[in-house]
Amino acid sequence: MANQSEEQNQEQQQRPIVMVHRLPTFSFSFANRLKTHYHLFDPLDSPDLIDLHRDSVRAIFCVGPSPVTSELIARYPCLEIIVGSSAGVDHIDLRECRRRGIAVTNAGNAFSEAAAEYAVGLLIDALRRVSAGDRFVRAGLWPKAGEYPLGFKLGGKRVGIVGLGSIGSEVANRLAAFGCSIAYNSRKKKPSVPYPYYAKVCDLAVNSDVLVVCCALADETHHIINKDVMTALGKEGVIINVGRGKLVDEKELVQFLVRGEIGGAGLDVFENEPYVPKELFTMDNVVLSPHRAVLTQESFEAIQEVVVANLEAFFANKPLVSPVQNE
Amino acid sequence: MANQSEEQNQEQQQRPIVMVHRLPTFSFSFANRLKTHYHLFDPLDSPDLIDLHRDSVRAIFCVGPSPVTSELIARYPCLEIIVGSSAGVDHIDLRECRRRGIAVTNAGNAFSEAAAEYAVGLLIDALRRVSAGDRFVRAGLWPKAGEYPLGFKLGGKRVGIVGLGSIGSEVANRLAAFGCSIAYNSRKKKPSVPYPYYAKVCDLAVNSDVLVVCCALADETHHIINKDVMTALGKEGVIINVGRGKLVDEKELVQFLVRGEIGGAGLDVFENEPYVPKELFTMDNVVLSPHRAVLTQESFEAIQEVVVANLEAFFANKPLVSPVQNE
């Protein structure tokens, strides 16, 4: 028995260290699964251990959008990888990672389907006025006010997808089944994609009835949906954002909506969450959502698999499952 | 000039008579188009003309769900066709039409796409809680109450379609693109359809996470979604109804929802419209819609074409475009 325990101890010593990084409000459910393969240290549980392992930590598991600053990165001189569990990684200082040669992984495709179906839901809602009709019924207005105004049909609409990554591609697949015509903008034309490509978002907007924004947030995509794009989209146009709030110039969008210079919007993300511009609260052509596009009760299983697979790949010197392109 | 006018007169006399039947609240925009081919009589405009033409009317154009009773039908001894402009025809006394051998046409596929996309919108909303999240944001709760509860993913769900007609088929096409598995119930198995068929709705419900109800209302489909079907669907199950209110036993549905014995519902139609059971007004797993699934601002063009085509076919003794099977 003593021997076995010693063996177990030795085996545990040989397990690689994985440092957990999370805001106190974020938790994760599969710590026990990770502990069977790694020395898992969560500074929120045992802050003293940070100093003990500082010089040997090669991998950080970042829970949700917990901010990974350059200061945090600087604490770990041997850091080689940050395994993320969110779709976007704008909470991680990618510049510092690039400088230090630290790899970053994200949720990969684990959330893409959930985000894509939510984007379609927001779009149907914004066009057909589902939420607004629901408010109308709940307010008891149907017997009093009579017929609720008609919305617009999704089928046949020209949809421009801003960012044809894993989420954008899933959006395109779904909307094609509704009889929408699809076009897209992204950093580069994708050779294997059959949809028309527009190098400039403004050109995509001119040729679209709807823009679905699902690109990553970075310096070059900050306010990618600006005043000029909204003008190009036109007064019947609808903007859906399931990416990040800062992809859209929110102040401008509010003004366009107030002035009736754009047709509607479905917004899951905002520039200053959880704060949402109050002007939008009274609009029936707008759907407001508290950043719920990617997460469902079914998502956690999928994200767990991606995190485990990336950690395994890293420690086995194999290709990462969902590396973030950080050039 | 005199001659030409006489010719015009003669030509007008030869135009077939079409009697309009509509409730005062229903109007239609293409009277002028119909008048170029038909003597169009609208009793609401000129009630005297009914008597004048009673014995020569072969065709009635019924606007929307204006009730066509046996009394109305009895007024016209030569009536051969009722050209409808709605998807469902439960407002027409089909039994009397059958007895008299009067043909009935409906909107055909003109509304199918709009209804199907709305059904998908209601389903995403009911699962992912889009309307409820919108209410949460508009009530200013996001900064105060924190994270809104997670919904359920649509992708991967087993969807049972009750009534695989033109709307049901369009629903199936769209949901397949979301990664749902599809099965269906209808009067008969459809030989060309790849989805599993269940002759009994209860068996379909046992094998489904979601039921989308889009069959026609008739004696044999009244309360087709009853207590037994709801029990078979189970407490995580979701019911979407874009057909008719009376397809669902509404009292039972409310009780199942109150007791948490069913997961949620998206309802565009109700048993006693415009009255909606008040118990539903406080539920976040329910989406309430004021009977807007089939109509959009784009629909009117399509319905106009179907009505014109059916009238043309009838007077030219050609096969009708969208005859209702009335056996």
Side-chain angles (χ1 to χ4, degrees):
Chain A
M1 287 297 278
N3 268 357
Q4 205 178 353
S5 177
E6 232 167 79
E7 263 173 49
Q8 276 183 348
N9 248 339
Q10 262 194 336
E11 194 197 308
Q12 274 178 21
Q13 293 300 331
Q14 286 161 1
R15 287 183 203 162
I17 294 170
V18 171
M19 187 66 73
V20 174
H21 174 64
R22 63 181 178 98
L23 290 178
T25 47
F26 295 135
S27 60
F28 65 108
S29 61
F30 55 109
N32 284 337
R33 179 171 174 192
L34 291 178
K35 280 180 187 164
T36 60
H37 292 90
Y38 309 103
H39 270 297
L40 199 67
F41 292 122
D42 187 338
L44 291 181
D45 294 339
S46 41
D48 308 343
L49 291 172
I50 299 188
D51 281 335
L52 191 65
H53 294 291
R54 189 168 275 183
D55 292 335
S56 48
V57 170
R58 294 169 61 208
I60 287 179
F61 163 41
C62 175
V63 181
S66 308
V68 180
T69 60
S70 58
E71 290 74 30
L72 184 109
I73 295 171
R75 277 191 217 153
Y76 303 100
C78 301
L79 190 63
E80 290 175 50
I81 187 168
I82 298 167
V83 173
S85 62
S86 59
V89 288
D90 49 299
H91 57 291
I92 299 176
D93 189 329
L94 291 180
R95 200 184 304 252
E96 184 61 13
C97 290
R98 191 159 56 231
R99 197 186 66 77
R100 288 260 312 263
I102 297 168
V104 177
T105 64
N106 65 5
N109 294 333
F111 294 140
S112 307
E113 293 185 0
E117 69 187 32
Y118 204 84
V120 174
L122 289 179
L123 177 52
I124 298 178
D125 194 323
L127 285 171
R128 303 292 309 269
R129 310 284 153 90
V130 179
S131 292
D134 179 275
R135 280 197 301 279
F136 176 81
V137 173
R138 282 175 201 246
L141 290 172
W142 194 7
K144 295 174 197 161
E147 305 280 288
Y148 187 75
L150 294 180
F152 299 89
K153 189 179 165 191
L154 171 58
K157 291 281 178 292
R158 301 166 303 159
V159 178
I161 298 189
V162 181
L164 200 73
S166 61
I167 295 173
S169 306
E170 298 283 0
V171 171
N173 291 343
R174 283 156 183 75
L175 289 179
F178 285 81
C180 296
S181 61
I182 310 288
Y184 74 105
N185 162 264
S186 62
R187 274 174 298 181
K188 293 174 195 163
K189 188 176 186 329
K190 314 215 168 209
S192 61
V193 164
Y195 311 123
Y197 169 73
Y198 291 90
K200 290 181 180 168
V201 183
C202 260
D203 296 339
L204 179 67
V206 165
N207 293 287
S208 298
D209 303 307
V210 172
L211 290 180
V212 179
V213 185
C214 40
C215 57
L217 178 61
D219 289 347
E220 59 272 28
T221 58
H222 182 264
H223 284 194
I224 189 171
I225 308 299
N226 58 22
K227 191 178 172 176
D228 294 340
V229 174
M230 294 178 211
T231 304
L233 186 60
K235 62 187 276 201
E236 310 262 290
V238 171
I239 293 173
I240 303 299
N241 188 3
V242 293
R244 284 286 181 270
K246 291 186 200 304
L247 293 167
V248 175
D249 186 335
E250 193 170 278
K251 270 191 189 159
E252 282 296 343
L253 177 62
V254 168
Q255 286 311 306
F256 269 70
L257 285 164
V258 165
R259 296 191 304 252
E261 290 172 4
I262 209 161
L267 307 171
D268 183 50
V269 286
F270 302 88
E271 287 215 49
N272 188 26
E273 294 172 14
Y275 298 97
V276 176
K278 290 213 165 32
E279 294 92 331
L280 305 179
F281 285 14
T282 55
M283 294 181 183
D284 275 3
N285 53 340
V286 171
V287 195
L288 305 171
S289 163
H291 203 145
R292 298 279 84 176
V294 298
L295 278 178
T296 63
Q297 304 210 20
E298 289 87 351
S299 305
F300 294 106
E301 183 71 22
I303 189 62
Q304 181 174 332
E305 296 309 319
V306 174
V307 167
V308 167
N310 275 310
L311 283 171
E312 273 179 13
F314 169 72
F315 286 111
N317 279 320
K318 288 186 178 161
L320 298 171
V321 173
S322 55
V324 170
Q325 299 305 323
N326 187 14
E327 292 148 11
Chain B
M1 288 299 278
N3 268 357
Q4 207 181 348
S5 177
E6 231 168 79
E7 263 174 47
Q8 276 184 350
N9 249 339
Q10 265 194 335
E11 194 198 308
Q12 275 179 20
Q13 293 298 331
Q14 288 161 1
R15 287 184 202 160
I17 293 170
V18 172
M19 187 65 72
V20 174
H21 175 62
R22 63 182 178 97
L23 291 178
T25 47
F26 295 134
S27 60
F28 65 108
S29 61
F30 56 110
N32 284 337
R33 178 172 175 191
L34 292 178
K35 280 178 186 164
T36 62
H37 293 90
Y38 308 103
H39 271 298
L40 199 66
F41 292 122
D42 187 339
L44 291 181
D45 295 337
S46 42
D48 308 343
L49 291 171
I50 299 188
D51 281 336
L52 191 67
H53 294 292
R54 188 167 277 184
D55 292 336
S56 49
V57 169
R58 295 168 62 208
I60 286 178
F61 163 42
C62 175
V63 181
S66 308
V68 180
T69 60
S70 58
E71 291 75 28
L72 183 110
I73 294 170
R75 278 190 215 154
Y76 303 100
C78 301
L79 190 62
E80 292 175 50
I81 187 168
I82 297 166
V83 174
S85 61
S86 58
V89 288
D90 50 298
H91 56 292
I92 299 175
D93 189 329
L94 292 180
R95 200 184 304 251
E96 183 61 11
C97 290
R98 190 159 55 233
R99 198 186 65 78
R100 288 260 312 264
I102 297 167
V104 177
T105 64
N106 64 6
N109 294 332
F111 294 140
S112 307
E113 293 184 359
E117 68 187 33
Y118 203 84
V120 174
L122 289 178
L123 176 51
I124 298 178
D125 194 324
L127 286 171
R128 303 292 308 268
R129 310 283 153 90
V130 179
S131 291
D134 179 276
R135 280 197 302 279
F136 176 81
V137 173
R138 282 175 201 247
L141 289 172
W142 195 6
K144 295 174 197 161
E147 304 281 288
Y148 186 75
L150 294 180
F152 300 89
K153 189 178 166 192
L154 172 58
K157 291 281 178 292
R158 301 166 303 159
V159 178
I161 299 190
V162 181
L164 200 75
S166 60
I167 295 173
S169 306
E170 298 283 359
V171 171
N173 292 343
R174 282 156 183 74
L175 288 180
F178 285 81
C180 296
S181 61
I182 310 288
Y184 74 105
N185 162 264
S186 62
R187 275 173 298 182
K188 293 174 195 164
K189 188 175 185 330
K190 313 214 168 211
S192 61
V193 164
Y195 311 121
Y197 169 72
Y198 291 89
K200 291 181 179 167
V201 183
C202 261
D203 295 339
L204 179 67
V206 165
N207 292 287
S208 298
D209 304 306
V210 172
L211 290 180
V212 180
V213 185
C214 41
C215 57
L217 177 62
D219 289 347
E220 59 272 27
T221 58
H222 182 265
H223 283 194
I224 189 170
I225 308 299
N226 59 21
K227 193 178 170 173
D228 295 340
V229 174
M230 294 179 212
T231 304
L233 185 61
K235 61 187 278 203
E236 309 261 292
V238 171
I239 293 174
I240 303 299
N241 188 3
V242 293
R244 284 285 181 270
K246 291 185 200 306
L247 294 168
V248 175
D249 187 335
E250 192 170 277
K251 270 191 189 159
E252 282 295 345
L253 177 62
V254 169
Q255 287 312 307
F256 269 71
L257 285 164
V258 166
R259 296 191 304 252
E261 289 172 3
I262 209 160
L267 307 171
D268 183 51
V269 287
F270 302 88
E271 287 216 50
N272 189 26
E273 295 172 15
Y275 298 97
V276 176
K278 290 215 167 29
E279 295 92 330
L280 305 179
F281 286 14
T282 54
M283 294 180 182
D284 275 2
N285 52 341
V286 172
V287 195
L288 305 171
S289 163
H291 203 145
R292 298 279 84 178
V294 296
L295 278 179
T296 63
Q297 304 211 19
E298 289 87 351
S299 305
F300 294 106
E301 183 70 22
I303 190 61
Q304 180 174 334
E305 296 309 319
V306 174
V307 167
V308 167
N310 276 310
L311 284 171
E312 273 178 13
F314 170 71
F315 286 111
N317 281 318
K318 289 187 177 158
L320 298 171
V321 173
S322 54
V324 170
Q325 299 305 323
N326 186 14
E327 292 148 11

